[in-house]
């Protein structure tokens, strides 16, 4: 291993970008603590650390969104001070943010070119044609089959993420910071992204890759820097001698507990069926017949657009397809809205923090306890003391790192915001909960904590959980039953799934196995 940076005063041209003793505080919180890291040209440099470790803050400093309180940045050995993101771009540094920055009302083309649009006549038409050609070439290179004139708001979460990446690549940066770029991508989309990044790396581009996915780091990275509590702990080469467990141990100082507890608590899925899902038949051989039982975690797995999202949205009242037939208990069930579904005991956490209910102007407690106000009300008033006590207890159970429960929700890191949202939906769910990408952007330790919270609610309170996740490992480890999807139909059902099913499940969702009748 190595420590980058140090106290040397001599510029280091072997680094495309280097930080020296960077400090950044937010009130009493020290987001960056004397961080010195060097990134070599033409490498994929991974940043690992738990939520709140300072990874995203470091990325934002490198692209001019955050000004450090102390320390310096060097680009190709020369000290620089970025005034804003455009200044960083002029130095060849770009970033793909964890939270999407797309305009839903604009087209794919308009989003990719935003800020670099064609100028005035007489050359506007020529530049517009050049933009269309360049964007089409870029999407073709990414193997992304999306019309340039399609409004971004019509895309699913995975395609939006890929358009966000295309938007950054369009500016042809020398160094691109990728902050959790695969959090909303399925296996096929991740393969596309990695293929593009490898080609660009071979052409001389450099990447900083912020992620919580150990398998991606081991497969994709050249070097990794570990951060903890705002400090840079170590940097070492990824030379093929480490596995995921060894990397987690270096990251956290503890061994993972593995899947033993999950395997030991599998339930009898036939005990009490609370939801049945079927279709009326499409006439082309595709079919759908699913069930969800008390105390069970059921996963719907497939690539985006395979039909799993349609099922989830129908259950929570966001989709009203006449082809999907739902029965809640023994009665027909057709919710008109998510509020209608909630009155039937069905809770919902959609994917993406920007779309799933973060109230930026409210405190941590207010965001967490929003759905509990009716229960806490006495004689028309809510006890602030009781609300705070219950909030602190729940924050402790879900492992949120915070200063005060009265702090604004945006004082938390992105991963801790996600924990608050998961805690909120689980705290009021009492019959069924539908979770879309519940651990996106969550570090490995926090992910285990969220999984245990989900299992505890299912086993002790009989909550039925429907999971829609892009992570096959998460789906395998957390679920009692998995349904695989391809082109609108269920391919197969896996009970008590194990790692042995990994290859079969991948074959299902890529259309390599025929659907069962």
């Amino acid at each position: 291993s190595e420590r980058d940076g140090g106290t040397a005063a001599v510029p280091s041209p072997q680094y495309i970008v280097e930080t020296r003793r960077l400090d950044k505080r937010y009130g009493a919180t020290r987001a960056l603590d004397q961080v010195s890291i060097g990134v070599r040209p033409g490498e994929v440099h991974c940043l690992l650390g738990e939520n709140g470790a300072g990874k995203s803050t470091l990325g934002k400093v490198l692209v001019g969104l955050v000004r450090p309180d102390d320390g310096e940045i060097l680009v190709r050995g020369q000290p620089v001070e970025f005034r804003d993101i455009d200044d960083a771009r002029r130095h060849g540094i770009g970033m793909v943010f964890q939270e999407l920055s797309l305009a839903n009302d604009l087209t794919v083309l308009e989003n990719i070119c935003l800020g670099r649009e064609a100028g005035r006549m007489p050359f506007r038409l020529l530049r517009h044609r050049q933009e269309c050609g360049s964007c089409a070439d870029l999407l073709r290179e990414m193997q992304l089959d999306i019309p340039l004139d399609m409004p971004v708001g019509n895309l699913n979460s995975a395609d939006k993420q890929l358009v966000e990446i295309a938007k950054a690549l369009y500016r042809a940066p020398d160094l691109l910071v990728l902050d959790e770029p695969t959090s909303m991508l399925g296996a096929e989309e991740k393969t596309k992204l990695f293929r593009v990044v490898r080609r660009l790396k071979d052409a001389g581009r450099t990447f900083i890759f912020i992620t919580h996915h150990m398998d991606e780091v081991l497969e994709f990275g050249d070097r990794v820097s570990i951060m903890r509590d705002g400090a840079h702990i170590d940097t070492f080469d990824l030379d093929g001698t480490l596995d995921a467990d060894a990397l987690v141990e270096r990251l956290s100082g503890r061994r993972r507990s593995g899947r033993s507890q999950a395997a030991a608590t599998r339930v009898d899925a036939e005990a009490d069926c609370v939801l049945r899902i079927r279709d009326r038949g499409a006439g082309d051989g595709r079919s759908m017949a699913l069930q969800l039982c008390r105390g069970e975690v059921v996963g719907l797995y497939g690539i985006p657009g395979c039909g799993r999202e349609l099922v989830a949205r129908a259950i929570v009242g966001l989709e009203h397809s006449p082809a999907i037939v739902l029965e809640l208990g023994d009665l027909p069930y057709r919710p008109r809205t998510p509020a209608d579904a909630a009155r039937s005991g069905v809770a919902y956490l959609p994917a993406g923090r920007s779309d799933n209910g973060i109230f930026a102007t409210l405190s941590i407690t207010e965001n967490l306890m929003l759905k509990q106000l009716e229960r806490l009300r006495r004689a028309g008033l809510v006890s602030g003391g009781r609300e705070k006590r219950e909030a602190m207890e729940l924050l402790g159970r879900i492992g949120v790192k915070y200063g005060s429960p009265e702090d604004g929700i945006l004082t938390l890191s992105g991963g801790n915001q996600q924990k608050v949202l998961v805690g909120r939906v689980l705290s009021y769910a009492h019959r069924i909960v539908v979770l879309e990408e519940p651990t996106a952007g969550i570090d490995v330790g926090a992910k285990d904590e969220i999984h245990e919270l989900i299992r505890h609610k299912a086993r002790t309170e009989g909550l039925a959980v429907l999971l829609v996740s892009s992570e096959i490992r998460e789906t395998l480890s957390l679920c009692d039953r998995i349904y695989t999807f391809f082109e609108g139909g269920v391919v197969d059902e896996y009970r008590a799934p194990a790692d042995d099913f990994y290859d079969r499940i991948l074959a299902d969702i890529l259309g390599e196995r025929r659907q069962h009748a």
Side-chain angles (χ1 to χ4, degrees):
S1 67
E2 67 179 54
R3 291 292 187 99
D4 285 316
T7 59
V10 178
S12 304
Q14 71 268 27
Y15 296 133
I16 188 171
V17 67
E18 181 182 4
T19 69
R20 292 183 177 177
R21 302 173 299 281
L22 284 184
D23 268 346
K24 181 62 184 178
R25 289 182 180 272
Y26 296 99
T29 302
R30 197 168 188 176
L32 295 178
D33 182 3
Q34 297 284 297
V35 173
S36 297
I37 291 177
V39 179
R40 297 167 181 164
E43 74 172 353
V44 176
H45 193 116
C46 299
L47 289 184
L48 277 179
E50 296 185 352
N51 295 120
K55 307 181 303 299
S56 293
T57 301
L58 178 59
K60 291 173 182 177
V61 167
L62 291 175
V63 296
L65 278 179
V66 172
R67 299 288 295 272
D69 298 326
D70 199 6
E72 63 179 345
I73 302 171
L74 293 86
V75 176
R76 298 178 183 86
Q78 299 302 314
V80 296
E81 290 186 13
F82 297 141
R83 295 183 299 274
D84 52 35
I85 192 168
D86 287 331
D87 200 8
R89 285 170 176 162
R90 284 190 287 271
H91 284 80
I93 301 177
M95 185 171 186
V96 175
F97 299 97
Q98 189 173 353
E99 297 298 325
L100 301 182
S101 60
L102 301 175
N104 285 332
D105 292 335
L106 299 183
T107 66
V108 172
L109 174 66
E110 291 166 338
N111 270 277
I112 292 176
C113 298
L114 195 61
R116 299 189 65 183
E117 299 89 343
R120 296 182 177 180
M121 296 296 286
F123 302 110
R124 186 179 186 280
L125 183 59
L126 177 61
R127 285 197 57 190
H128 179 70
R129 290 173 179 169
Q130 291 173 341
E131 287 171 354
C132 291
S134 297
C135 289
D137 290 342
L138 178 58
L139 296 186
R140 193 177 302 112
E141 183 181 19
M142 295 180 67
Q143 297 183 349
L144 189 55
D145 186 19
I146 297 177
L148 289 174
D149 59 355
M150 177 176 287
V152 163
N154 294 349
L155 303 179
N156 59 42
S157 296
D159 284 342
K160 285 182 179 180
Q161 182 70 67
L162 289 168
V163 170
E164 182 81 35
I165 293 167
K167 178 180 174 182
L169 290 174
Y170 182 74
R171 297 175 180 270
D174 298 322
L175 169 65
L176 186 60
V177 181
L178 301 173
D179 191 1
E180 298 288 350
T182 65
S183 60
M184 297 299 173
L185 302 185
E188 187 176 17
E189 287 74 26
K190 289 180 185 180
T191 300
K192 291 178 184 178
L193 172 62
F194 291 165
R195 188 181 298 121
V196 170
V197 171
R198 286 191 183 99
R199 282 200 293 266
L200 293 171
K201 173 191 160 185
D202 291 342
R205 300 277 182 84
T206 305
F207 294 87
I208 295 177
F209 189 56
I210 301 172
T211 181
H212 295 108
H213 302 295
M214 299 296 167
D215 54 341
E216 294 174 3
V217 171
L218 294 170
E219 175 188 355
F220 193 50
D222 297 308
R223 287 197 305 155
V224 59
S225 290
I226 291 177
M227 297 185 67
R228 188 181 305 138
D229 297 327
H232 170 223
I233 303 302
D234 201 1
T235 295
F236 48 87
D237 294 330
L238 294 165
D239 55 7
T241 62
L242 294 177
D243 59 14
D245 289 337
L247 193 54
V248 171
E249 189 173 356
R250 290 201 183 197
L251 176 65
S252 62
R254 61 180 184 270
R255 292 185 179 275
R256 296 191 69 183
S257 59
R259 301 176 63 251
S260 57
Q261 186 172 356
T265 55
R266 298 292 188 192
V267 298
D268 179 3
E270 304 298 334
D272 187 0
C273 181
V274 295
L275 181 69
R276 289 182 173 85
I277 308 154
R278 61 183 177 85
D279 64 6
R280 300 184 187 277
D284 55 4
R286 296 197 301 270
S287 63
M288 186 183 302
L290 306 84
Q291 64 180 17
L292 181 62
C293 300
R294 277 177 52 84
E296 182 184 30
V297 182
V298 170
L300 308 183
Y301 193 73
I303 65 175
C306 64
R308 59 176 188 164
E309 297 91 347
L310 183 68
V311 172
R313 290 171 62 86
I315 293 171
V316 301
L318 287 172
E319 189 71 40
H320 307 98
S321 171
I324 297 179
V325 180
L326 304 173
E327 293 181 2
L328 189 62
D330 295 324
L331 299 175
Y333 171 62
R334 187 171 291 278
R336 297 181 299 276
T337 65
D340 192 19
R343 285 189 287 271
S344 298
V346 180
Y348 176 49
L349 180 69
R353 282 188 290 278
S354 60
D355 299 325
N356 66 8
I358 280 286
F359 292 91
T361 61
L362 300 184
S363 69
I364 298 169
T365 293
E366 290 168 327
N367 270 277
L368 181 64
M369 304 301 291
L370 190 63
K371 295 289 188 177
Q372 300 293 317
L373 296 182
E374 188 65 33
R375 179 178 61 81
L376 296 172
R377 185 176 289 120
R378 294 290 184 272
L381 299 175
V382 174
S383 168
R386 183 182 176 193
E387 181 185 22
K388 183 176 179 179
R389 286 193 300 274
E390 292 197 14
M392 292 181 68
E393 180 183 352
L394 182 54
L395 289 168
R397 288 206 307 270
I398 60 181
V400 174
K401 294 180 180 178
Y402 64 98
S404 165
E406 304 309 314
D407 289 343
I409 187 70
L410 296 185
T411 63
L412 301 179
S413 67
N416 280 302
Q417 292 177 30
Q418 183 71 11
K419 290 190 209 177
V420 169
L421 293 174
V422 172
R424 181 172 76 195
V425 73
L426 290 181
S427 69
Y428 77 87
H430 64 272
R431 196 170 188 180
I432 296 172
V433 62
V434 178
L435 302 173
E436 290 185 346
E437 311 293 352
T439 62
I442 298 269
D443 62 70
V444 64
K447 186 176 295 186
D448 288 343
E449 293 169 359
I450 292 294
H451 287 179
E452 288 307 313
L453 184 63
I454 293 171
R455 292 188 192 107
H456 178 78
K457 288 284 290 188
R459 305 302 185 247
T460 63
E461 301 181 22
L463 182 68
V465 180
L466 190 72
L467 175 72
V468 179
S469 172
S470 297
E471 291 191 49
I472 188 169
R473 296 296 184 190
E474 174 174 62
T475 305
L476 282 167
S477 67
L478 185 57
C479 295
D480 304 298
R481 184 198 306 260
I482 297 173
Y483 292 99
T484 51
F485 279 73
F486 182 72
E487 292 187 345
V490 173
V491 181
D492 210 344
E493 173 187 352
Y494 298 86
R495 301 189 183 190
D499 287 342
D500 294 345
F501 295 131
Y502 183 94
D503 292 340
R504 289 179 60 193
I505 288 175
L506 282 185
D508 286 354
I509 68 169
L510 297 177
E512 296 176 11
R513 296 181 65 220
R514 293 292 89 193
Q515 292 174 225
H516 298 288

